[in-house]
Amino acid sequence: MNSVSSNQSNISIQQGLFDAIKDLLVVNPIFLLGIIVICIMLIIIFKKNKTISKIRISILFLVFYYYLCVMLTNIVGIPTLSEYIRLSRLGEAFFNPNINLIPFSDGFSLSFILNIFLFVPLGFLCPLISKSYQSIKNTLLIGCGLSFTIETVQLFTLYRATDINDLITNIVGTLIGYFCFRFIHKLVITKSHSISDYKEPYYMRYMPIVIIVTTFILGFFS
């Protein structure tokens, strides 16, 4: 009987873990609209530039978009219209500041490490999408900008804190992602002259920002 109970307990834990992962990775159907926006962007880009790698850019755009959808809505948490409607019915305030401006006041925790890993894909994917972000300065700017925006909008959410530690760890995560890109770039990408000599259209530098803004807008209505 003890063996049976132990097996049932293990199955329950596995099912709970599976459900948690599924909830984390599944996004609101409203984000399908973002795929339409991205497809329109890609069509315009491909019409303007015939030499651009269609498959590579399409995959990168969609992966970057999906990463943002999961990160902003399922992990970080941003204000949503449905939440504001609920707060309005309860007579609660929309502005709920919970601010910590003292670095490392609570020491180091698991969330500290997770916040670093959260922004690693950003620092890695942006330089792949646009050569502009192969400059550490530009990658840092988009990492700082996104993190600062998240911390600012969390002033308008319940049960979320605007924390200087999050800003620091997000920047560290962006840098780690960027240096991972540089390492792989030296090993693999620079061996291909067709890629390294490719002259990128100027508007590609704005594509990550457009995708970020699109995700925020749809996230608000999710």
Side-chain angles (χ1 to χ4, degrees), residues 70-210:
V70 172
M71 190 260 281
L72 292 177
T73 60
N74 293 358
I75 301 177
V76 171
I78 59 175
T80 63
L81 180 60
S82 60
E83 178 67 8
Y84 283 162
I85 292 173
R86 188 181 73 86
L87 291 176
S88 178
R89 288 173 178 171
L90 294 173
E92 297 283 349
F94 292 167
F95 184 61
N96 298 281
N98 180 12
I99 305 172
N100 173 37
L101 298 178
I102 304 174
F104 316 120
S105 58
D106 297 327
F108 296 92
S109 62
L110 179 60
S111 62
F112 189 91
I113 304 299
L114 292 177
N115 273 325
I116 292 177
F117 282 105
L118 194 61
F119 266 60
V120 169
L122 180 79
F124 184 80
L125 291 171
C126 284
L128 287 173
I129 292 174
S130 171
K131 280 188 173 183
S132 297
Y133 298 98
Q134 292 182 17
S135 160
I136 190 171
K137 174 185 173 183
N138 292 337
T139 300
L140 266 178
L141 281 174
I142 197 169
C144 290
L146 178 57
S147 182
F148 183 78
T149 302
I150 291 171
E151 297 306 311
T152 301
V153 300
Q154 285 185 339
L155 293 170
F156 301 89
T157 60
L158 276 176
Y159 314 121
R160 299 283 180 173
T162 298
D163 197 330
I164 188 67
N165 291 326
D166 292 345
L167 186 61
I168 294 171
T169 51
N170 292 162
I171 292 172
V172 172
T174 302
L175 282 173
I176 292 174
Y178 173 81
F179 286 118
C180 287
F181 161 78
R182 295 301 303 179
F183 178 74
I184 295 175
H185 185 270
K186 286 183 179 180
L187 288 179
V188 180
I189 300 180
T190 52
K191 294 180 181 179
S192 173
H193 295 291
S194 62
I195 294 177
S196 59
D197 297 337
Y198 164 67
K199 187 175 181 180
E200 181 181 85
Y202 73 92
Y203 48 80
M204 286 298 293
R205 72 184 67 175
Y206 302 113
M207 293 301 103
I209 298 173
V210 172

Side-chain angles (χ1 to χ4, degrees), residues 43-71:
I43 290 170
I44 295 172
I45 290 170
F46 296 155
K47 281 187 176 181
K48 285 188 175 183
N49 193 302
K50 304 293 184 182
T51 61
I52 200 167
S53 176
K54 295 180 175 62
I55 295 177
R56 174 177 169 271
I57 292 299
S58 299
I59 292 174
L60 284 173
F61 274 32
L62 291 173
V63 169
F64 186 62
Y65 175 63
Y66 177 70
Y67 152 71
L68 289 169
C69 291
V70 172
M71 190 260 281

